[in-house]
């Protein structure tokens, strides 16, 4: 990994990463979870601590550590810098704002400040700006595909003016938007996008559905684009019970696709509802030894370890 250079796809295989929710280790009520480190630590250190714990459970360091930031939140935070300093790529998801206000220049100072801060970080960063922009729930601030594309180009131009060369731009609509939807109309163009991505979840909590079925529409579209693919979030619901490990092993087979160059597991039990109004289900593998063992098999397989990072013997 070279400082100051944007992440590039591995020649073979795919990077493996994860979002590890601090709540998985430090529940809001203070009770201990199934974490190797059940004692709560200072809030600003939680993210680094849980990532390190998670890596011990997988037997290797992550290639990618995912973090999430709101439009108004400052970044990179100390935790972001610490994660990047330990030879991981950051996958920084930055929520959007009103696209027309962005194009009008209302947020130029903020965008320029964030661009300079990422440049100063000097580490490779995946920047996933305003994912799922095609969802119905986003239309009040996205307005239209044309408005979104104009805003994307506005951000990229400011980053270009600031000489930011360590950021790879990740475009990520909804996966459902490729199944008869309009996701493709939000594509800013090959000259504007470095990686194309989608979050792939199997759907209903109780009706078993393979990863391959959930990913089919997106991958059919992606094969016509000369871009590396990132599965920027994926997870298997806890409700699948004993079949979770089976689901992960089958997903790993599908993910060994020559165009897929990065995969990121979403280890969280967020709750709430997704963009289609359906309940979000529990994807954390905490407390599920069989499923965690299956994910460890994925993470330590040569295909998903293209940097040949050291792998610890399973305990």
């Amino acid at each position: 990994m070279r400082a100051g250079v944007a992440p590039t796809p591995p020649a073979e295989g795919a990077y493996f990463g994860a979002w590890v929710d601090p709540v998985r280790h430090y529940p809001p009520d203070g009770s201990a979870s199934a974490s190797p480190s059940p004692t709560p630590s200072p809030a600003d250190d939680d993210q680094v601590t849980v990532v390190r714990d998670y890596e011990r459970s997988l037997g290797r360091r992550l290639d990618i550590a995912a973090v999430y930031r709101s439009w108004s939140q400052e970044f990179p935070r100390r935790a972001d810098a610490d994660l990047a300093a330990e030879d991981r790529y950051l996958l920084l998801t930055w929520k959007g704002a009103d696209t027309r206000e962005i194009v009008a220049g209302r947020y130029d100072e903020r965008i320029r400040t964030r661009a300079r801060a990422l440049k100063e970080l000097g580490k490779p960063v995946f920047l996933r700006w305003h994912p799922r922009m095609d969802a119905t729930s986003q239309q009040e601030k996205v307005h239209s595909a044309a408005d979104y594309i104009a805003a994307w180009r506005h951000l990229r131009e400011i980053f270009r003016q600031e000489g930011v060369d360590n950021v790879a731009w990740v475009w990520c609509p909804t996966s459902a938007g490729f199944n008869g939807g309009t996701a493709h109309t939000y594509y800013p163009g090959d000259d504007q996008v470095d990686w194309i991505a989608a979050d792939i979840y199997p759907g209903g909590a109780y009706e078993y559905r393979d990863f391959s079925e959930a990913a089919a529409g997106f991958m059919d579209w992606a094969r016509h684009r000369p871009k590396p693919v990132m599965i920027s979030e994926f997870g298997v619901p806890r409700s699948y019970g004993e079949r979770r490990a089976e689901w992960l092993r089958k997903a790993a087979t599908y993910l060994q696709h020559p165009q897929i160059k990065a995969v990121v597991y979403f280890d969280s039990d967020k709750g709430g509802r997704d963009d289609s109004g359906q309940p979000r289900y529990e994807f954390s593998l905490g407390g599920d030894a069989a499923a965690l063992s299956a994910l460890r098999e994925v993470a330590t397989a040569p295909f998903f370890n293209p940097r040949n990072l050291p792998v610890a013997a399973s305990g």
Side-chain angles (χ1 to χ4, degrees):
M1 181 187 296
R2 293 169 55 200
V5 177
T8 56
E12 295 182 359
Y15 299 129
F16 183 87
W19 156 247
V20 191
D21 193 338
V23 175
R24 174 184 186 268
H25 289 210
Y26 310 117
D29 63 3
S31 62
S33 70
S35 162
S37 299
T39 304
S41 64
D44 200 43
D45 294 333
D46 285 357
Q47 193 62 56
V48 177
T49 300
V50 297
V51 167
R52 291 171 179 165
D53 285 348
Y54 199 70
E55 290 173 333
R56 281 191 285 272
S57 69
L58 290 179
R60 57 157 290 191
R61 177 164 290 174
L62 296 173
D63 294 302
I64 298 172
V67 296
Y68 294 81
R69 303 290 175 245
S70 70
W71 176 248
S72 60
Q73 190 173 12
E74 293 184 4
F75 60 76
R77 294 176 58 178
R78 188 184 71 193
D80 303 339
D82 289 346
L83 289 168
E86 295 179 342
D87 196 31
R88 304 179 191 89
Y89 296 119
L90 281 182
L91 169 58
L92 198 157
T93 295
W94 188 15
K95 289 186 177 181
D98 188 290
T99 57
R100 293 175 181 172
E101 292 180 354
I102 289 173
V103 173
R106 176 179 176 181
Y107 299 108
D108 281 5
E109 182 178 354
R110 176 179 300 172
I111 297 166
R112 201 171 297 279
T113 298
R114 301 295 181 267
R116 290 170 178 169
L118 288 178
K119 180 180 180 179
E120 185 178 353
L121 178 67
K123 297 292 184 180
V125 176
F126 292 104
L127 183 60
R128 188 173 69 138
W129 181 71
H130 205 145
R132 297 180 288 278
M133 78 300 293
D134 59 313
T136 301
S137 62
Q138 298 296 307
Q139 295 315 294
E140 185 175 349
K141 61 182 178 181
V142 171
H143 300 294
S144 70
D147 288 312
Y148 173 81
I149 291 171
W152 176 285
R153 289 176 173 267
H154 190 81
L155 264 74
R156 283 215 64 166
E157 174 57 21
I158 292 176
F159 272 62
R160 186 196 66 78
Q161 291 172 7
E162 293 299 327
V164 182
D165 59 3
N166 59 316
V167 167
W169 291 75
V170 181
W171 178 74
C172 182
T174 65
S175 57
F178 292 97
N179 299 320
T182 60
H184 65 283
T185 65
Y186 291 79
Y187 188 61
D190 291 342
D191 63 325
Q192 292 287 312
V193 173
D194 299 313
W195 291 64
I196 54 177
D199 301 340
I200 308 295
Y201 295 101
Y206 299 102
E207 181 181 352
Y208 187 90
R209 187 184 186 207
D210 283 338
F211 180 96
S212 59
E213 182 182 351
F218 166 65
M219 290 303 297
D220 284 347
W221 180 86
R223 66 188 177 90
H224 298 292
R225 301 259 59 84
K227 298 293 176 180
V229 165
M230 173 185 291
I231 306 303
S232 47
E233 295 177 14
F234 78 104
V236 57
R238 191 179 299 276
S239 59
Y240 280 16
E242 294 181 357
R243 300 193 70 182
R244 294 180 93 194
E246 169 195 343
W247 188 94
L248 285 165
R249 292 186 176 103
K250 291 176 71 174
T253 298
Y254 182 90
L255 288 167
Q256 294 181 48
H257 184 289
Q259 195 175 358
I260 295 176
K261 295 297 181 179
V263 300
V264 182
Y265 192 82
F266 189 81
D267 197 288
S268 179
D269 294 338
K270 280 295 187 186
R273 293 183 178 273
D274 63 20
D275 292 326
S276 64
Q278 296 299 311
R280 291 189 186 275
Y281 301 107
E282 299 174 316
F283 301 111
S284 174
L285 302 182
D288 189 335
L292 184 58
S293 177
L295 189 66
R296 179 188 174 106
E297 291 176 20
V298 178
T300 57
F303 184 89
F304 298 104
N305 188 12
R307 296 193 294 154
N308 294 313
L309 297 174
V311 175
S314 58

